[in-house]
């Protein structure tokens, strides 16, 4: 039996209409949630600005029990651990991505790719365990320092956590480089390595920046492993040896203290203030990541 | 006439598939040689043997011999980097690197050791002039090469090649992605370049082969679907008095 064109078109139109609105709603609700979270943070955190003098809030001492709410050591702690992690993970990640995509024989690549994805899925508390039982003692004996619970240990574990993200995103970026660029490089007499470093990697630059940004975003927000192995001493991480002493990060502070504060207290408001800072930092990082993704698309269109 | 390339009994295989069988020919210096023939007859494969770009294709294998200035291209003493500097290649789709125009032209000198080519700025200018592109890009040298039109991109690729002062330029359908005007520019450029270079061009465009080349080689697949060289000689002969019936059929447009 034949259905007339009109019969067939109506439900499709309605379906398309519903789907379109569902998609739109889903998209809008995401934006809504982000805004909602931000306003919640603001509502709980802004009072801190009125309850604590700015000189105290941006001071160098964090002793909430005695009314010292200096967030600078925490911010610097986070920066120190995160940036060190990136400095470690960046060359390793790019080198691994180049290895997986450009150097490894096919069967090695087939084994490595799923393995890397498994790495990305390891819960951070497990890495924390690993860090506490193996990495921390190892660092203490190797460097001969009083405690292995240091910023450096935390950075190592964070680097390890950021690596899978960096590797897979960077690898995709390398994969997207057209073969014609490689051919051009080789045909110009460049060796395979020269072609990789001077043609393929620069061509994948924007994707690699995205990879690093996403890795950075993961590292700065990470809490569990960091709390377990950085020692959590809220001291100013100044001086060259700060890397090898305990530090405390923003995330670890919030996680450790939120359970013990009275709702609505000054301490509670300051912790939310820290949340606002974290939110803004990750927001800016992701904005950069998104921008480089966008650039890549634009370039892709010209190819 | 002295032969730039001498090829003897060349076979090309991809895995188990044979793409070319027993190709023998000599390509003269400072002339334009056109390779024509229906799709899949092995023109690109032949071209890629001359700068060993076939080496980059997994499972590819060749037998037979190919000489550049009487030196065995596949001999153990042949340095592939040196070979590819002497035998440059321009591809079907313009493929400038997504870098600045300047960096594209400077790529070869930088990779091969800039010193032997003289001052980089000068090399870039001479090469761009040589590719008839200088006047169009001299004010935008640091813009991304991908912002150029396709025809300009292709001439940039030619500039990139001549920056390392090769002796031969291989062109695999260099104008097939271009509009007629850009195509004519490339053809004019070839006429200018042949003063200094030996040029070998693959083309599907019969008029183009007739317009630009001195020698023409006609390839075709035989009954086993393997590419063979059917006829080779001066372009005028190939187009006006072909000796082989298959050549005649092809150049008069009866098939292919
Ligand atoms: N990388 C490769 N792997 C496997 N087979 C290949 C490869 N390149 C070419 N071939 C095969 O070799 C034969 C000759 O191909 P080639 O590209 O040299 O022909 P062509 O004359 O250049 O064709 P066209 O005019 O379409 O460019 C074809 O049958 C093709 O399928
Ligand atoms: Mg071809």
């Amino acid at each position: 039996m034949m259905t007339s064109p009109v019969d067939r078109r109506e439900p499709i139109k309605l379906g398309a209409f519903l789907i379109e609105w569902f998609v739109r709603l889903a998209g809008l609700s995401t934006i809504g949630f982000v805004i909602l979270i931000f306003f919640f943070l603001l509502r709980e955190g802004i009072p801190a600005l009125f309850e604590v003098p700015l000189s105290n809030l941006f001071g160098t001492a964090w002793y909430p029990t005695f009314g010292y709410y200096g967030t600078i050591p925490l911010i610097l702690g986070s920066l120190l651990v995160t940036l060190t992690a990136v400095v470690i993970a960046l060359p390793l990640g790019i080198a691994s991505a180049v290895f997986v995509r450009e150097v490894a024989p096919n069967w090695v690549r087939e084994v490595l790719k799923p393995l890397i994805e498994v790495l990305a899925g390891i819960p951070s508390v497990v890495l924390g365990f690993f860090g506490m039982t193996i990495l921390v003692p190892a660092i203490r004996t190797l460097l001969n320092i009083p405690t292995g619970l240091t910023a450096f240990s935390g950075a190592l574990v964070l680097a390890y956590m950021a690596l899978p993200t960096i590797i897979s995103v960077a690898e995709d970026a390398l994969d997207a480089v057209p073969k014609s660029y490689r051919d051009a490089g080789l045909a110009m007499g460049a060796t395979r390595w020269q072609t990789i470093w001077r043609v393929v990697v620069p061509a994948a630059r924007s994707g690699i920046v995205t990879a690093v940004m996403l890795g950075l975003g993961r590292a700065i927000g990470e809490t569990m492993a960091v709390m377990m192995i950085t020692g959590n001493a809220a001291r100013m991480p100044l001086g060259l040896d700060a890397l090898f002493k305990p530090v405390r990060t923003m995330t670890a502070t919030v996680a450790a203290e939120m359970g013990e504060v009275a709702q609505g207290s000054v301490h509670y408001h300051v912790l939310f203030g820290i949340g606002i800072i974290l939110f803004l930092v990750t927001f800016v990082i992701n904005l950069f990541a998104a921008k480089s993704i966008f650039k890549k698309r634009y370039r892709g269109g010209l190819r | 006439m002295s032969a730039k390339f001498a090829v003897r009994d060349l076979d090309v295989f991809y895995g188990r598939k044979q793409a070319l069988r027993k190709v023998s020919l000599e390509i003269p210096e400072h002339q334009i040689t056109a390779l024509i023939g229906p799709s899949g007859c092995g023109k690109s494969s032949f071209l890629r043997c001359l700068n060993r770009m076939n080496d980059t294709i997994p499972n590819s294998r060749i037998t037979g011999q190919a000489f550049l200035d009487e030196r065995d291209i596949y001999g153990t003493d042949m340095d592939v980097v040196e070979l590819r500097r002497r035998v440059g290649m321009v591809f079907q789709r313009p493929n400038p690197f997504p870098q600045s125009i300047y960096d594209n032209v400077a790529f070869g000198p930088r990779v091969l050791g800039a010193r032997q080519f003289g001052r980089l700025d000068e090399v870039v200018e001479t090469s761009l002039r040589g590719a008839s592109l200088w006047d169009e890009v001299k004010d935008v040298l640091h813009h991304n090469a991908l912002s150029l039109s396709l025809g300009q991109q292709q001439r940039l690729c030619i500039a990139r090649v001549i920056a390392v002062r090769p002796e031969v330029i291989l062109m695999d359908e260099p104008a097939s992605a271009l509009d007629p005007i850009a195509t004519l520019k490339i053809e004019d450029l070839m006429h200018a370049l042949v003063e200094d270079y030996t040029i070998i061009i693959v083309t599907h465009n019969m008029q183009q082969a007739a317009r630009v080349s001195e020698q023409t080689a006609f390839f075709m697949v035989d009954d086993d679907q393997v590419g063979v060289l059917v006829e080779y000689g001066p372009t005028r002969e190939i187009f006006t008095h072909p000796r082989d019936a298959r050549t005649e059929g092809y150049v008069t447009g009866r098939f292919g």
Side-chain angles (χ1 to χ4, degrees):
Chain A
M1 229 179 68
M2 295 263 289
T3 42
S4 81
V6 178
D7 285 344
R8 285 177 40 152
R9 219 179 291 144
E10 280 308 319
I12 288 176
K13 245 189 188 167
L14 183 66
F17 177 82
L18 284 180
I19 288 172
E20 195 183 314
W21 269 100
F22 175 73
V23 169
R24 215 174 266 179
L25 217 71
L28 287 176
S29 66
T30 313
I31 299 173
F33 282 133
V34 172
I35 293 175
L36 227 83
I37 288 173
F38 190 58
F39 273 106
F40 175 70
L41 279 177
L42 282 184
R43 198 191 71 193
E44 303 291 317
I46 288 291
L49 284 177
F50 303 104
E51 294 160 358
V52 186
L54 279 187
S55 59
N56 183 349
L57 213 47
F58 293 103
T60 57
W62 175 264
Y63 299 117
T65 345
F66 304 107
Y68 292 103
Y69 296 107
T71 52
I72 295 296
L74 312 179
I75 295 174
L76 291 183
S78 277
L79 279 182
L80 178 68
V81 175
T82 308
L83 292 184
T84 311
V86 169
V87 167
I88 298 169
L90 179 69
L92 276 178
I94 294 177
S96 310
V98 166
F99 176 76
V100 172
R101 174 48 48 193
E102 306 286 328
V103 184
N106 274 336
W107 69 268
V108 176
R109 172 157 53 241
E110 297 310 313
V111 176
L112 276 179
K113 283 193 67 167
L115 263 184
I116 291 169
E117 257 129 57
V118 169
L119 277 188
I122 297 179
S124 68
V125 69
V126 174
L127 286 178
F129 268 141
F130 167 81
M132 271 174 97
T133 52
I134 297 178
L135 186 66
V136 166
I139 283 185
R140 187 172 59 94
T141 42
L142 271 181
L143 299 178
N144 193 21
I145 46 180
T147 172
L149 296 167
T150 63
F152 185 64
S153 325
L156 277 183
V157 172
L158 276 194
Y160 193 77
M161 296 184 61
L163 265 179
T165 314
I166 295 182
I167 296 174
S168 11
V169 178
E171 202 234 297
D172 286 345
L174 292 175
D175 192 31
V177 174
K179 183 174 177 299
S180 64
Y181 293 170
R182 290 165 224 261
D183 287 345
L186 293 172
M188 287 298 300
T191 62
R192 185 165 164 223
W193 283 106
Q194 286 173 324
T195 305
I196 291 173
W197 291 119
R198 287 171 178 259
V199 178
V200 180
V201 170
R205 191 177 42 221
S206 58
I208 291 176
V209 171
T210 308
V212 174
M213 286 298 178
L214 291 176
L216 185 72
R218 167 130 207 234
I220 198 161
E222 166 52 30
T223 310
M224 212 54 208
V226 169
M227 196 160 80
M228 289 165 82
I229 56 182
T230 52
N232 295 319
R235 47 181 295 284
M236 288 292 282
L238 301 173
L240 289 176
D241 56 347
L243 202 50
F244 301 101
K245 289 188 170 165
V247 287
R248 171 181 275 211
T249 64
M250 294 190 278
T251 49
T253 307
V254 174
E257 299 178 5
M258 197 47 114
E260 294 155 16
V261 299
Q263 193 169 356
S265 68
V266 176
H267 190 182
Y268 174 89
H269 288 148
V270 173
L271 288 183
F272 269 94
I274 294 175
I276 296 175
I277 297 173
L278 269 171
F279 182 93
L280 290 178
V281 171
T282 35
F283 187 75
V284 167
I285 290 174
N286 280 308
L287 218 61
F288 273 109
K291 203 178 137 214
S292 48
I293 290 176
F294 176 73
K295 255 206 211 138
K296 188 173 143 201
R297 290 230 188 88
Y298 164 73
R299 279 251 208 79
L302 279 172
R303 268 181 204 137
Chain B
M1 87 188 174
S2 61
K4 191 69 184 170
F5 285 104
V7 176
R8 283 185 212 131
D9 293 333
L10 183 79
D11 295 321
V12 177
F13 301 85
Y14 297 106
R16 318 204 63 183
K17 181 184 165 33
Q18 184 163 10
L20 279 177
R21 176 182 295 142
K22 294 258 173 290
V23 176
S24 299
L25 81 175
E26 297 198 342
I27 291 172
E29 193 165 20
H30 291 304
Q31 291 192 11
I32 300 179
T33 300
L35 311 180
I36 62 170
S39 201
C41 67
K43 305 178 296 291
S44 301
S45 302
F46 177 77
L47 207 62
R48 285 197 302 263
C49 289
L50 301 179
N51 65 346
R52 289 185 57 168
M53 276 302 276
N54 268 342
D55 293 11
T56 67
I57 298 173
N59 296 329
S60 75
R61 188 162 59 83
I62 82 143
T63 65
Q65 290 172 306
F67 296 90
L68 170 64
D69 287 336
E70 280 154 18
R71 265 186 68 203
D72 188 353
I73 291 175
Y74 289 85
T76 43
D77 62 336
M78 179 56 84
D79 174 12
V80 180
V81 168
E82 176 62 13
L83 172 70
R84 291 186 187 151
R85 185 195 68 72
R86 292 172 62 190
V87 184
M89 187 167 216
V90 176
F91 296 80
Q92 179 170 3
R93 289 213 38 99
N95 58 355
F97 304 126
Q99 302 168 5
S100 75
I101 293 168
Y102 185 99
D103 287 342
N104 265 278
V105 184
F107 179 84
R110 281 180 178 149
V111 158
L112 298 169
R115 230 162 271 143
Q116 56 176 313
F117 300 99
R119 274 196 51 235
L120 216 44
D121 288 354
E122 279 164 26
V123 176
V124 169
E125 179 173 345
T126 340
S127 310
L128 286 170
R129 280 190 194 284
S132 319
L133 190 60
W134 174 253
D135 292 329
E136 291 158 66
V137 301
K138 62 173 185 283
D139 299 321
V140 291
L141 285 179
H142 294 282
H143 287 202
N144 195 310
L146 299 183
S147 62
L148 298 174
S149 73
L150 272 187
Q152 290 172 324
Q153 289 186 19
Q154 193 63 304
R155 276 178 285 144
L156 178 64
C157 292
I158 293 174
R160 181 172 65 188
V161 164
I162 62 184
V164 296
R165 298 201 218 110
E167 297 155 31
V168 183
I169 306 178
L170 310 175
M171 300 185 171
D172 195 347
E173 303 184 42
S176 67
L178 308 183
D179 64 63
I181 293 181
T183 300
L184 280 184
K185 280 193 182 153
I186 297 277
E187 291 180 12
D188 288 343
L189 180 55
M190 291 173 64
H191 281 303
L193 288 172
V194 76
E195 298 283 318
D196 302 310
Y197 305 93
T198 302
I199 298 179
I200 306 175
I201 175 178
V202 171
T203 177
H204 271 130
N205 181 331
M206 226 57 64
Q207 285 92 36
Q208 183 170 62
R211 275 195 303 264
V212 299
S213 70
E214 276 105 346
Q215 310 290 326
T216 296
F218 172 59
F219 289 79
M220 214 180 124
V221 291
D222 64 8
D223 297 336
D224 309 329
Q225 297 302 309
V226 178
V228 292
L229 175 63
V230 175
E231 192 167 345
Y232 175 54
T235 300
R236 178 177 298 275
E237 298 279 303
I238 297 284
F239 277 87
T240 54
H241 304 290
R243 273 170 282 129
D244 195 293
R246 291 169 293 179
T247 316
E248 186 179 5
Y250 187 73
V251 297
T252 54
R254 260 191 279 128
F255 68 91

